[in-house]
Amino acid sequence: MATALKVGETDASYGLAESLVSEVAVLIVGYRNSEDVVDCLLALSRATTSPTFDIFICENGGRDAYHHLVSVLISEEGPCRRGQSFGIALDDNTSRFTNVQRLSLRGRSSNVWVGCAYDNLGYAGGINAWLRPLSAIPTWCAIWILNPDTQPTESALAALHERAQSGRKAMVGSTILDSLDADHVRFRGGLSWQRLAARDVAIGLGELIDMSCNIAAVEDAMDSPSGASMYVTRWCIERIGLMDESYFLFYEDMDWGLRARHLGLGYAADSIVIHKRGTTTGSGRASVLSVYLQHRNCVRFVRRHFPWSLPLRVAVSLMYAFRFLLQGAPSNSRAAVEGLVAGLKGEMGQPKERMAQ
């Protein structure tokens, strides 16, 4: 069995904790999608040796999902091996994990910390659950947030790190593709907010991958890196604070990016990340929940950053609802309207009643 670190435990080797966090902390939030996490870590195990990194996973899917994730990570075909007993101490009063285990990537010195969240903390909550204990350790200079259903190429992290340092960028985004052999781009760096349309759009969507790109123009257009691959410097976090957990899922990355925009957003074109899309939230009933949260949270986002455009955003959500009807998806249409109403009422955080349905 992998070595477990009990919440609140401090052993004789705690003084070594600082040496257990490298230059970059890779943060991954999972929800019962262990196969995605395994593929992501297999890709990370092939990353270039610089910068050094350690991996911190928050499993939001409960104790059974947590134990299953650990077991597949250390299986014979898995990307990890058992770790040593000493590690990062977590305060019983502030930790949001019921259990933490330390593993390491096969073939390299990167640690892999897997935490079992006491509840479904959402995306921002899962990120913050690790950022809080990490804030006490001075060795890391940046975090790299990855969706569990991504597969970064070998030099993806190195390109992000270089762009942040050379350009003094607070946050940096990657080139996101749907597959390694894709001809077209899904994202160049991240998202831009269309103020007159009250919606976010993917920069570079549909462009040919080998098409020349004006990096400065992309960075000027960016309002946030894509949450699928989001490199954030420590000094940025110290200035703007943690992610806003009130969104639970969707728009927390856009909110965070917009809060950091004045500090400088960057685009590392050579940082290639494959994003399978959709496996994080799933399909069917989860897809309906995703629609609900997207429209609920967009209202919250607009109220915070562009309150003058709220009537326009209401119209856009109703237009989406109508389009879902035309597409033969009445459940999604209803979810869009209900999400809109919930947003206008000020609902935030985990939508427990809908998740229990």
Side-chain angles (χ1 to χ4, degrees):
M1 183 176 179
T3 303
L5 173 64
K6 294 180 181 179
V7 176
E9 176 183 27
T10 304
D11 67 17
S13 300
Y14 177 65
L16 295 175
E18 291 185 2
S19 68
L20 297 179
V21 183
S22 301
E23 294 174 84
V24 178
V26 180
L27 305 186
I28 299 171
V29 179
Y31 184 80
R32 302 174 184 172
N33 52 345
S34 58
E35 291 184 5
D36 289 332
V37 177
V38 166
D39 289 342
C40 184
L41 266 60
L42 285 171
L44 285 169
S45 69
R46 298 188 287 269
T48 56
T49 56
S50 180
T52 59
F53 65 89
D54 294 301
I55 301 168
F56 299 82
I57 302 169
C58 172
E59 173 55 65
N60 269 336
R63 184 173 295 274
D64 289 345
Y66 165 74
H67 287 300
H68 178 69
L69 174 60
V70 172
S71 68
V72 296
L73 287 175
I74 62 173
S75 67
E76 187 174 342
E77 299 80 18
C80 299
R81 60 176 182 268
R82 294 176 179 87
Q84 300 179 37
S85 61
F86 53 81
I88 301 169
L90 301 176
D91 188 338
D92 279 325
N93 296 320
T94 60
S95 175
R96 305 175 79 180
F97 298 119
T98 60
N99 198 8
V100 175
Q101 297 196 38
R102 180 191 169 208
L103 316 175
S104 60
L105 281 183
R106 298 185 192 274
R108 60 191 308 151
S109 59
S110 295
N111 295 290
V112 180
W113 300 92
V114 188
C116 178
Y118 70 82
D119 190 10
N120 186 348
L121 305 176
Y123 187 70
I127 297 298
N128 291 346
W130 274 121
L131 274 178
R132 287 189 174 93
L134 283 171
S135 65
I137 298 175
T139 50
W140 57 276
C141 65
I143 64 169
W144 184 21
I145 298 173
L146 280 173
N147 268 19
D149 54 352
T150 58
Q151 295 176 29
T153 56
E154 289 87 344
S155 60
L157 175 56
L160 291 167
H161 185 70
E162 192 283 329
R163 184 61 191 136
Q165 290 193 321
S166 65
R168 182 62 178 175
K169 300 297 184 181
M171 294 182 177
V172 186
S174 303
T175 299
I176 309 295
L177 307 177
D178 288 334
S179 66
L180 192 57
D181 58 354
D183 296 323
H184 296 82
V185 171
R186 179 68 188 173
F187 287 96
R188 287 199 186 278
L191 298 160
S192 178
W193 182 258
Q194 290 187 331
R195 287 157 176 76
L196 297 181
R199 63 171 189 163
D200 57 292
V201 294
I203 299 172
L205 177 63
E207 291 182 359
L208 290 171
I209 186 63
D210 56 358
M211 171 181 172
S212 62
C213 174
N214 185 327
I215 302 296
V218 171
E219 292 180 342
D220 185 61
M222 279 179 64
D223 286 311
S224 173
S226 165
S229 172
M230 198 173 198
Y231 185 94
V232 187
T233 61
R234 184 178 193 132
W235 61 266
C236 172
I237 298 171
E238 290 171 347
R239 284 164 175 77
I240 69 172
L242 303 180
M243 270 191 172
D244 185 346
E245 298 181 25
S246 67
Y247 291 96
F248 184 71
L249 183 65
F250 299 115
Y251 280 94
E252 62 278 269
D253 53 346
M254 189 73 180
D255 175 88
W256 214 26
L258 205 59
R259 284 156 54 194
R261 196 181 194 284
H262 69 285
L263 299 174
L265 304 182
Y267 170 44
D270 293 332
S271 175
I272 308 297
V273 175
I274 310 306
H275 186 203
K276 290 183 284 186
R277 290 196 296 151
T279 64
T280 303
T281 53
S283 57
R285 185 176 65 182
S287 177
V288 172
L289 178 62
S290 299
V291 171
Y292 175 86
L293 287 172
Q294 286 171 346
H295 289 269
R296 185 198 75 170
N297 291 350
C298 193
V299 170
R300 179 165 181 77
F301 174 82
V302 166
R303 273 181 166 162
R304 170 173 290 182
H305 296 286
F306 309 102
W308 58 268
S309 66
L310 181 59
L312 180 58
R313 179 60 220 182
V314 171
V316 170
S317 287
L318 292 175
M319 183 176 65
Y320 272 100
F322 182 65
R323 189 173 72 173
F324 281 130
L325 277 179
L326 294 179
Q327 293 171 341
S331 295
N332 282 348
S333 178
R334 183 168 58 254
V337 174
E338 291 175 349
L340 170 63
V341 172
L344 292 172
K345 289 181 176 179
E347 179 186 281
M348 64 184 76
Q350 183 184 142
K352 293 185 177 181
E353 291 185 5
R354 293 193 66 89
M355 294 181 70
Q357 292 176 357

